[in-house]
Amino acid sequence: MADLPARFAFIRNFSIIAHIDHGKSTLADRLLELAGVTTDRTRRDQILDTMDIERERGITIKSNSATFEYTSKETGEVYTYNLIDTPGHVDFTYEVSRSLKACEGVLLIVDATQGVEAQTLANLYLAMELDLKIIPVINKIDLPAADVDRCLKLIENTLGLDPTEALSVSAKTGLNVEQVLEAIARLIPPPKGEPDAPLRALIYDSYYDSYAGAVMKVRLFDGALKKQDRIKIMSTGKSFTVTELGYACLGHHARPQLVAGEVGYVIAGIKSVEDTPVGDTVTSSTRPAEKALSGYRQAKPMVFAGLFPVNGEDYENLKDAIQKLKLNDAALVFEPESSPALGFGYRVGYLGLLHMEIVAERLTREFDLDLISTAPSVKYRITDIKGKEHEIENPSRWPNPASIAKMEEPYVQATIMTPQDYLGNILALLQEKRGVQENIVYLDDGKLQLVYRIPLAELIFEFYDRLKSVSRGYASLDYEFKGYQESKLVKVDVLVNGQPVDALAMVVHTTMADQRGRVLIERLKDLIPRHQFQIPLQAAVGSKVIARENISALRKNVTAKCYGGDISRKRKLLEKQKEGKKRMKQIGNVDIPQEAFLAILKSD
C-alpha cells in the first residue's frame, strides 16, 4: 500500500457511542468548545442536533459531523479531527454501523451512576466487529451518585477493555475533557488508503437540502475526488457530476478536493436521498473501482401503520407532506390505503416505534396536519397452498385461513440488562411474550444480561412500558432483527355496530386471541363515546365471536313535557322514540376517536 501524504498521519476519524442519555451530545459540545469551534456567542446545548424534536427529547435522530483542528498540548502537532456523530436509538442501528465504518476509533461513554447498559454492549460489539480502537470514557463523575471504581471494574470485566486507558470526565462541567482530545491523538490510529487507486467512498449518511438537493456525507477510503468529476453510485449504477465538495463543521466549507482518509460532503445535483443509499459506495464513472465496500444493505421497514387525515379534504396535503419527508428519509416507505372507517390515507413503513412517533410528529408540526395513526403491525410471511409466498403488512389483507399452508412472523434477538432483584418479574414478562431464552450472563456489578428471541409483534405491543414498570425503570433493552420463524396466527376482527372496522383488526398468536380480543373490546367500550342508539362491540375470529360489550344509548326524556293525563300519551311518545332509535341504528355512523386505534397497543 502506498504511503499516505505526511499530513494524513495527523487525521483522526472517530465517533462517540453510548446508551441513551449517557451524555454523548454533551461531550461532543465540550470537544467542539475546547477546540475553539464554538465560542460564548455561538455555544448552545446539543449543537450537532438540528431538529427541535431532538432537543426536546434529548436524543439524536439524524447524525451529523464536524471537522476541526486541534493542537496537541503533548506533541505540539496540529491534528485534523473528524467527529462523526451517530443516532442514539436502537431503530437506527444500521446508520450507527455505517457511521462507525467511516471511523478508525470510538469514544465509548459509560455513565458513572448507571454503569454498563444494553446499548453500551450493543454498540461495543458493532465497534469490535469493525476492529476499531475503543477508548472508554466514564462520564458524569461530578454527580453525587457517581461510582468510578465500579465502572472501571465493569470496563475490564464486562466490556473486556483496558481500564488504564479509561478517562474519567464530566462533560457537563468540562472537567478532564481536554484529556479526551489528547487521547484521541495518542490512541486512535490515522486512516489508511491509497490516494492513487480508483475512487471508493462510503456514504455514511445523506440528507435533503431544498437548494442543493441530496447532500452525501462520505468517507474516502481510496482515490481522490474533485469538482466536476463524474461519479457513480455502485448499487444503482446512476452517474452524477460533482458540483461542490468540502468538509462540514456547523455548516459547509467548500474545498477543491477530498483525498483518501478524509471525511466530507459531496453535492452532485441529486434529487432525492433514495439515490444516495446509506452504506453504498461512490466510485468514479471514468475509472470505476472493481469492488464496492462491504456491509451495504437496504434499510427495510419493520413496523407498519395506517396514517389518515382527520379531515378528508387534507388527503392531498398529506400526500405532499409524506413525499417531502421521504426526500429526507430514505427508510420511509408508503403506499395509498383506503379504509371504510377512516377514508383515504397511507400505509407507512417505519424502522421502529420511535421512527413512527417522529414521522407522525414531524407531519403534524411541520405541515400542520391533524392525523389519525392506526396501531402498528409487523410484516408477516404467508405461503399459500399453491406454494406462492406473500408478505402481509396490513391485517385487513389477511387471506382466508383455508388458503394458507404456512405462516411466519419476524423474530428479534432482545438483549436486556437488569439488576438481579427484578429477574423474576422480567422472566415472567418474557414468558408471557413468547420469548425463548438463548443466554443469561451474570455480570460483576449485580446485573444480569438476558438474551432472548422474541416475536417482533410482541415487542411492539406495550413490551417496553411493561419492562420499565416491572423493573422500576432499571432495565434497559436493545434488539436486532433475526429473521422469520413459523408460527400459528389468527386475525381478530373488531365489529362496531355490526360493521368490521379494518383499522382495528389485528393478527395475534392463537393462544392469545381470546385474551387480546376481550381486553381490546373492554377498552373500546370506555373510549368510544355514547351515541343516540346502542352500539354493540364484538371481537371475532372468522365467524366465531370471542368477546362482546354494549355501549348503552344516550336517552332523552321525551315524556318530560307530559303532566298527568292518559298513560297512552307517554307510551305513544316512547314507541315513537324506540322506532327512531331503531332507524338511527340502521343508518347512523359511529364516531371512533384516535385513542381507540391506539387501544390495541395497551392492555390493563
Side-chain angles (χ1 to χ4, degrees):
M1 186 178 283
D3 289 333
L4 289 169
R7 70 187 181 91
F8 289 167
F10 301 109
I11 291 178
R12 297 291 182 269
N13 300 322
F14 69 97
S15 186
I16 306 174
I17 55 176
H19 188 75
I20 294 168
D21 203 31
H22 278 204
K24 183 165 68 74
S25 296
T26 311
L27 182 61
D29 291 345
R30 290 297 85 74
L31 293 177
L32 294 174
E33 192 180 307
L34 284 168
V37 176
T38 57
T39 62
D40 290 338
R41 185 174 61 83
T42 58
R43 184 188 304 134
R44 63 176 179 175
D45 291 341
Q46 292 176 254
I47 196 159
L48 291 179
D49 293 340
T50 53
M51 283 191 272
D52 291 339
I53 301 172
E54 292 178 308
R55 296 175 183 285
E56 288 169 19
R57 295 185 177 222
I59 54 172
T60 299
I61 297 163
K62 195 72 180 161
S63 64
N64 213 325
S65 57
T67 300
F68 57 94
E69 290 189 341
Y70 173 71
T71 305
S72 170
K73 304 285 191 296
E74 293 178 5
T75 63
E77 299 286 356
V78 178
Y79 290 86
T80 299
Y81 283 177
N82 292 309
L83 165 57
I84 299 169
D85 194 17
T86 59
H89 194 271
V90 64
D91 284 4
F92 309 108
T93 301
Y94 175 63
E95 282 92 332
V96 174
S97 73
R98 295 305 85 203
S99 293
L100 296 186
K101 174 87 171 174
C103 302
E104 278 73 42
V106 295
L107 304 175
L108 178 71
I109 300 181
V110 177
D111 190 321
T113 62
Q114 297 180 49
V116 172
E117 299 284 337
Q119 262 184 280
T120 315
L121 280 172
N123 288 328
L124 171 75
Y125 296 151
L126 279 176
M128 284 179 163
E129 281 174 23
L130 296 166
D131 199 26
L132 304 181
K133 174 63 186 176
I134 300 162
I135 303 174
V137 178
I138 301 169
N139 190 25
K140 304 188 183 180
I141 62 169
D142 57 310
L143 297 180
D147 190 342
V148 176
D149 293 336
R150 169 173 153 263
C151 288
L152 287 168
K153 286 180 185 174
L154 286 173
I155 285 166
E156 183 174 18
N157 300 328
T158 304
L159 302 181
L161 302 175
D162 185 355
T164 60
E165 290 182 352
L167 304 166
S168 301
V169 307
S170 168
K172 190 174 183 180
T173 65
L175 180 66
N176 297 338
V177 176
E178 187 89 47
Q179 294 177 14
V180 177
L181 287 164
E182 294 294 340
I184 292 165
R186 187 173 66 253
L187 299 173
I188 293 177
K192 296 176 181 177
E194 296 190 31
D196 300 324
L199 172 69
R200 286 200 308 169
L202 170 76
I203 304 173
Y204 67 85
D205 195 19
S206 62
Y207 66 93
Y208 183 78
D209 183 279
S210 52
Y211 297 103
V215 180
M216 293 180 282
K217 297 180 182 179
V218 297
R219 154 73 198 274
L220 274 69
F221 282 85
D222 294 313
L225 188 59
K226 298 190 294 294
K227 201 172 172 181
Q228 298 304 317
D229 280 358
R230 286 287 289 175
I231 57 170
K232 183 170 78 171
I233 311 296
M234 291 193 79
S235 74
T236 64
K238 293 182 179 179
S239 294
F240 304 95
T241 301
V242 176
T243 56
E244 186 186 325
L245 75 170
Y247 67 87
C249 185
L250 310 183
H252 288 167
H253 302 269
R255 287 179 58 184
Q257 71 168 1
L258 293 172
V259 193
E262 293 188 317
V263 171
Y265 72 91
V266 176
I267 297 172
I270 303 170
K271 302 296 182 193
S272 169
V273 290
E274 281 187 293
D275 292 328
T276 59
V278 171
D280 208 344
T281 305
V282 177
T283 190
S284 169
S285 291
T286 53
R287 190 187 167 207
E290 291 180 11
K291 191 177 175 186
L293 296 163
S294 62
Y296 167 67
R297 62 180 172 82
Q298 277 190 312
K300 291 184 179 176
M302 302 292 289
V303 172
F304 296 83
L307 211 54
F308 298 86
V310 171
N311 184 353
E313 294 172 1
D314 283 338
Y315 175 72
E316 287 299 324
N317 296 336
L318 175 62
K319 180 182 177 181
D320 293 342
I322 293 182
Q323 286 174 341
K324 283 176 183 173
L325 215 57
K326 171 75 173 173
L327 291 172
N328 218 352
D329 189 348
L332 196 65
V333 175
F334 62 94
E335 61 177 24
E337 180 183 34
S338 64
S339 159
L342 298 171
F344 292 100
Y346 286 92
R347 191 79 185 167
V348 187
Y350 307 94
L351 295 171
L353 287 180
L354 179 76
H355 188 212
M356 175 179 152
E357 277 183 48
I358 287 158
V359 168
E361 198 165 330
R362 287 189 68 185
L363 287 169
T364 303
R365 282 187 184 196
E366 296 174 23
F367 301 97
D368 197 25
L369 291 169
D370 199 2
L371 301 171
I372 286 178
S373 179
T374 64
S377 63
V378 299
K379 185 183 282 185
Y380 297 98
R381 201 183 278 165
I382 301 292
T383 306
D384 62 25
I385 51 177
K386 294 180 181 177
K388 192 176 178 183
E389 203 174 83
H390 306 269
E391 290 187 327
I392 310 289
E393 67 258 4
N394 190 341
S396 66
R397 294 180 186 167
W398 194 257
N400 187 331
S403 67
I404 299 174
K406 186 170 79 169
M407 297 174 276
E408 295 172 289
E409 64 176 328
Y411 269 69
V412 297
Q413 186 183 64
T415 303
I416 296 168
M417 303 280 288
T418 176
Q420 292 184 22
D421 300 353
Y422 308 108
L423 178 62
N425 294 339
I426 292 174
L427 289 179
L429 173 63
L430 288 164
Q431 191 171 352
E432 180 192 324
K433 294 291 185 182
R434 300 189 283 131
V436 179
Q437 183 183 313
E438 292 195 342
N439 199 6
I440 294 184
V441 180
Y442 287 81
L443 305 175
D444 278 7
D445 62 340
K447 277 191 173 182
L448 294 161
Q449 180 189 348
L450 309 175
V451 182
Y452 267 71
R453 277 179 78 90
I454 303 177
L456 179 60
E458 298 293 341
L459 202 74
I460 66 172
F461 179 71
E462 45 91 60
F463 180 84
Y464 188 70
D465 292 345
R466 290 271 303 279
L467 177 67
K468 287 295 181 184
S469 177
V470 299
S471 67
R472 297 186 183 175
Y474 285 105
S476 57
L477 169 72
D478 189 87
Y479 63 89
E480 66 174 305
F481 178 63
K482 281 295 178 184
Y484 280 78
Q485 200 166 306
E486 194 168 349
S487 194
K488 291 183 178 179
L489 305 163
V490 291
K491 176 190 172 189
V492 177
D493 281 308
V494 174
L495 289 83
V496 178
N497 199 24
Q499 298 298 316
V501 181
D502 53 353
L504 290 173
M506 56 183 174
V507 175
V508 297
H509 195 262
T510 48
T511 58
M512 296 180 171
D514 288 9
Q515 181 209 349
R516 291 273 176 90
R518 275 195 304 273
V519 168
L520 178 57
I521 292 299
E522 285 167 9
R523 290 187 65 81
L524 288 176
K525 184 185 177 185
D526 295 331
L527 292 168
I528 295 176
R530 291 167 69 190
H531 289 55
Q532 294 288 342
F533 52 92
Q534 187 188 67
I535 304 170
L537 302 174
Q538 296 167 301
V541 175
S543 59
K544 180 188 173 187
V545 175
I546 57 175
R548 170 168 178 145
E549 292 282 349
N550 287 328
I551 300 174
S552 57
L554 286 169
R555 184 169 183 271
K556 183 182 177 184
N557 188 1
V558 291
T559 61
K561 59 186 177 183
C562 296
Y563 296 99
D566 191 352
I567 188 69
S568 61
R569 283 185 66 208
K570 290 185 179 180
R571 213 171 268 148
K572 195 174 176 183
L573 286 168
L574 289 170
E575 285 297 324
K576 194 175 178 184
Q577 183 187 44
K578 193 174 175 183
E579 284 297 317
K581 284 185 181 292
K582 187 178 176 183
R583 191 166 61 253
M584 194 184 288
K585 186 174 182 178
Q586 291 171 345
I587 62 170
N589 289 324
V590 180
D591 292 325
I592 304 174
Q594 162 72 47
E595 293 78 19
F597 298 101
L598 301 181
I600 301 173
L601 281 180
K602 298 182 174 69
S603 68
D604 292 323

